[in-house]
Amino acid sequence: MKNKYELSICIPSNGKFEESRDSINSAINFCKLTSSELTISDNSNDTKKNYHWKKFQNKNIKLLKSNKKNSTENWYNSIKNASGIYTGILSDDDIIINISNPETEYKNIYNHNILGIKPIIKLWNENVGHYATNIFNLDEDNSFERVKSYTKLCNGNNTTLYSFFNTDILKEIMELALFHPTRGGYSDWAFVLGLVSSGKILHDSSKVLIYKNNNWFGSEDFIKRQKISLYEKCGLSERGILFDLLFRALDAFIYVVRKSSPVSRKEIIRTGKLIFNNLILSFLGFFENNKKEFTDNEKKLISKLNSSNSFEKNIDIALDILEIFDSDLKNKYLKFYDIALENDWGIVT
């Protein structure tokens, strides 16, 4: 095995020093205790934080001065330099703690084709403290069964993203994310489905990650405003939230059925189509309850989506709907699909 480290932690760091100091120190201590690698891609231009990092820089801590403005590029800049068997992302306001040695060496888990290792993930908010824990396994043999379990067990939070994943597969999916049509923060759900579909993810009680959830904790109106802001930040209007499930259907299918998936083509194509169909049905349910929010042209096309249609017909209609919403999206999705599946739009082999 070529990898020098069993675990790598990547921090795509953008926050100011005062906001990220605890996270920085927890990552440094974790890597010292576990002989893990730490890779930081810092695009904050905070001189105080940069000085703090450099004090601890050694052979297993890589500090990358980053000029990447987009968060996806900054994440990739950190991940592409990781050399561990498994790599995990740590946001620069979260905390990582080593509790004990793992029951099994990670290289042995890797040799048994386990895709991911999920620490105990504790969700924390400054107003209420710790309020939820993510500790489930995704150990089903079939890719669709894993996705189905994830959808049920995640309980509305996507913190499994902050697990340790097979480094090569994480890098490959992260590189694909560079070609996502908007690189919007809303696409992390589809990104995780791409990972979950790729292999088993096992819970590891020897590590704890504290996820500080101050951005997604609050009233229903507050959460909706946060979701809308994800679309506004990536250059789409606030109406983007109306198409959230349609975006997720297309993105999930592309991430899951990408040509480089380690799952057999027959199984992964079936999985991708089932996910796509389920999300299209959810989108149609949302549409029925919110028709007044859509334009007449959008309504005409959405009414043509139907579970009895072929996959090829529905994916064509989905693309046409997004083109009406934003004319720039069509060509971007054609390119994204081509890069991921190495095929023309709608062709799956």
Side-chain angles (χ1 to χ4, degrees), residues 2 29 167 192 205 210 232 236 258 313 316 330:
K2 296 179 182 179
N29 290 333
T167 298
V192 171
S205 62
I210 300 173
E232 293 174 328
L236 300 176
R258 68 194 189 282
K313 184 172 183 179
D316 282 346
K330 184 170 185 176

Side-chain angles (χ1 to χ4, degrees), residues 325-339:
F325 165 60
D326 186 313
S327 59
D328 292 335
L329 287 174
K330 184 170 185 176
N331 286 335
K332 291 178 180 179
Y333 264 101
L334 291 174
K335 181 180 179 181
F336 186 40
Y337 190 99
D338 176 59
I339 290 169

Side-chain angles (χ1 to χ4, degrees), residues 50-84:
N50 192 53
Y51 173 76
H52 186 77
W53 277 126
K54 284 185 174 179
K55 285 196 301 183
F56 296 98
Q57 196 166 5
N58 59 40
K59 63 181 181 179
N60 69 324
I61 299 179
K62 300 177 188 175
L63 175 60
L64 309 167
K65 189 71 174 174
S66 173
N67 61 359
K68 308 296 184 183
K69 300 301 182 185
N70 181 272
S71 60
T72 303
E73 292 177 346
N74 202 38
W75 279 46
Y76 179 65
N77 191 50
S78 180
I79 292 167
K80 75 177 182 180
N81 287 283
S83 56

Side-chain angles (χ1 to χ4, degrees), residues 35 83 92 96 128 145 186 199 212 217 221 274 283 292 329:
S35 299
S83 56
D92 62 2
I96 184 79
V128 298
E145 292 303 317
Y186 65 84
K212 293 185 179 179
F217 187 94
D221 286 343
L274 285 169
F283 172 65
K292 67 180 185 296
L329 287 174

Side-chain angles (χ1 to χ4, degrees), residues 224-235:
K224 183 178 179 179
R225 185 63 244 173
Q226 291 293 88
K227 287 182 178 179
I228 288 172
S229 72
L230 294 179
Y231 288 94
E232 293 174 328
K233 286 176 182 176
C234 67

Side-chain angles (χ1 to χ4, degrees), residues 143 194 237 262-263 282 326 340:
S143 59
S237 73
V263 180
S282 296
D326 186 313

Side-chain angles (χ1 to χ4, degrees), residues 12-28:
S13 188
N14 180 256
K16 298 303 180 185
F17 177 66
E18 288 76 14
E19 301 164 357
S20 56
R21 176 170 45 195
D22 291 345
S23 178
I24 291 170
N25 291 336
S26 78
I28 290 169

Side-chain angles (χ1 to χ4, degrees), residues 165-184:
F165 295 102
N166 176 303
T167 298
D168 291 337
I169 293 177
L170 180 62
K171 284 181 181 179
E172 170 257 311
I173 300 182
M174 196 68 235
E175 185 173 0
L176 177 57
L178 296 175
F179 298 94
H180 184 274
T182 69
R183 300 182 187 176

